[in-house]
Amino acid sequence: MSSNDDYMLEVNDLLVYYENAIAINNVSLKCQKARITGVFGANSAGKSTLMHSISGLILDMKEKEMRKGGERITWYGEVKYNGKDIIDVKPSDRAGMGLVLSPERRQVFPESTAMENLKIGSYLATKEQTKKSLEFVFKLFPELVNMKKREAGFLSGGEQQMLAIARALMAQPKLLLLDEPLLGLAPSVESRLAQAIKDIKDETNITIMLSEQYARPVFPVIDYGYVMENGSIVLEGTSEELMNNPDVLGAYFGM
Ligand code: ATP
């Protein structure tokens, strides 16, 4: 049996509304320390909204919407990080606490070089940490070594995703949130990245939570997973339990 101390993140009874439409409907989930937790769901299931609620970006989104007189974004519930409710903590402060999001669609700075992107990622790190992290990301993604001076916008989709994960690692995450890291990539690149995500778990103490639409390429590397439909968690289990569930196979493996 694991105690609550084993969990780096606990989301309790989270509800998120965009105006009157519910995007997250009473979601509770946990991420165990130094493990990989997956969240799976179709388009619009609520994966990104969940990631934004955990990273805190939803606070920025709410403020932006309020300033332009747009929709009202509201939420209720708890997001506990190392036992402390952080639901009202600004995203920049959450990043300082080690909660780092690599957003959907690999948002690298296209006009900056790969190396500049990595340096931008390390703005919260000391010189010593930056040096160590650079060594780690180049070991994890040797492909990036020869791309240091290339503009990120000219890299392939797979290379940009490697860069996006590497940049997030430069920010010294303790909990790394990867929102659909395999989106739109070729199958060979998908398995390369899934392996790299596992390598991060095996070689560091970083806790990882990732979301994906299609479970197949990441099932072998996750420790525990949740399935979301229309903003709610409908199933959860270990990788093995989910893989043996015929509903999951049908919906997320196309079998
Ligand atoms: P995708 O795979 O398409 O990224 P997702 O699982 O990440 O989907 P979300 O983007 O979190 O899902 O969307 C959840 C629901 O909230 C959807 O119905 C979506 O239309 C709605 N939604 C998301 N962002 C906004 C927003 N800024 N304003 C209004 N509704 C939104």
Side-chain angles (χ1 to χ4, degrees):
M1 273 261 304
S2 40
S3 74
N4 279 348
D5 292 351
D6 295 335
Y7 294 101
M8 174 153 264
L9 180 82
E10 270 183 71
V11 173
N12 295 321
D13 308 321
L14 185 69
L15 291 154
V16 180
Y17 294 87
Y18 294 108
E19 206 62 61
N20 295 322
I22 193 158
I24 300 287
N25 189 356
N26 209 22
V27 161
S28 297
L29 57 79
K30 291 176 180 185
C31 293
Q32 212 176 350
K33 279 185 187 154
R35 295 280 183 269
I36 303 178
T37 304
V39 176
F40 305 105
N43 262 336
S44 294
K47 304 179 298 295
S48 295
T49 303
L50 178 64
M51 288 290 189
H52 292 151
S53 306
I54 298 169
S55 70
L57 271 186
I58 196 135
L59 275 84
D60 285 357
M61 290 161 65
K62 175 181 179 151
E63 211 179 291
K64 225 185 246 168
E65 285 295 336
M66 268 165 58
R67 245 185 278 136
K68 67 172 197 207
E71 63 189 357
R72 224 163 13 107
I73 305 178
T74 43
W75 54 83
Y76 306 92
E78 268 184 345
V79 175
K80 276 177 137 180
Y81 178 64
N82 285 324
K84 184 178 164 242
D85 190 7
I86 54 161
I87 199 139
D88 296 321
V89 177
K90 283 194 301 189
S92 52
D93 291 340
R94 292 192 206 189
M97 296 159 84
L99 228 163
V100 178
L101 170 71
S102 178
E104 192 180 337
R105 297 186 195 286
R106 36 186 176 278
Q107 294 170 18
V108 293
F109 297 103
E111 283 159 22
S112 302
T113 64
M115 193 62 180
E116 283 162 354
N117 268 273
L118 294 176
K119 290 264 167 75
I120 294 165
S122 69
Y123 74 104
L124 289 167
T126 63
K127 248 185 173 170
E128 192 56 33
Q129 286 172 327
T130 301
K131 191 167 159 259
K132 266 176 97 175
S133 298
L134 273 178
E135 275 168 24
F136 179 65
V137 299
F138 287 134
K139 189 172 136 231
L140 188 68
F141 299 121
E143 295 91 332
L144 291 181
V145 176
N146 292 326
M147 294 170 197
K148 286 183 197 169
K149 293 187 180 156
R150 287 180 57 197
E151 275 181 39
F154 289 111
L155 302 180
S156 71
E159 291 161 353
Q160 287 191 18
Q161 187 57 68
M162 289 179 200
L163 182 59
I165 296 175
R167 192 184 62 190
L169 288 169
M170 296 300 293
Q172 313 301 308
K174 295 192 175 82
L175 172 61
L176 176 62
L177 304 168
L178 301 172
D179 194 4
E180 297 199 54
L182 308 183
L183 186 69
L185 301 178
S188 61
V189 187
E190 281 182 347
S191 42
R192 166 79 186 87
L193 278 161
Q195 183 56 46
I197 292 168
K198 183 163 184 304
D199 291 344
I200 298 171
K201 175 185 101 165
D202 291 342
E203 292 173 35
T204 70
N205 279 325
I206 298 171
T207 304
I208 299 172
M209 172 171 167
L210 60 84
S211 75
E212 275 303 334
Q213 195 164 342
Y214 301 105
R216 188 194 292 270
V218 286
F219 252 141
V221 307
I222 65 156
D223 295 287
Y224 200 83
Y226 294 87
V227 176
M228 277 184 96
E229 272 175 23
N230 298 320
S232 299
I233 306 274
V234 292
L235 265 178
E236 64 174 275
T238 61
S239 170
E240 213 178 0
E241 285 164 352
L242 292 178
M243 256 192 282
N244 290 328
N245 184 311
D247 292 342
V248 176
L249 286 182
Y252 300 100
F253 281 89
M255 288 173 178

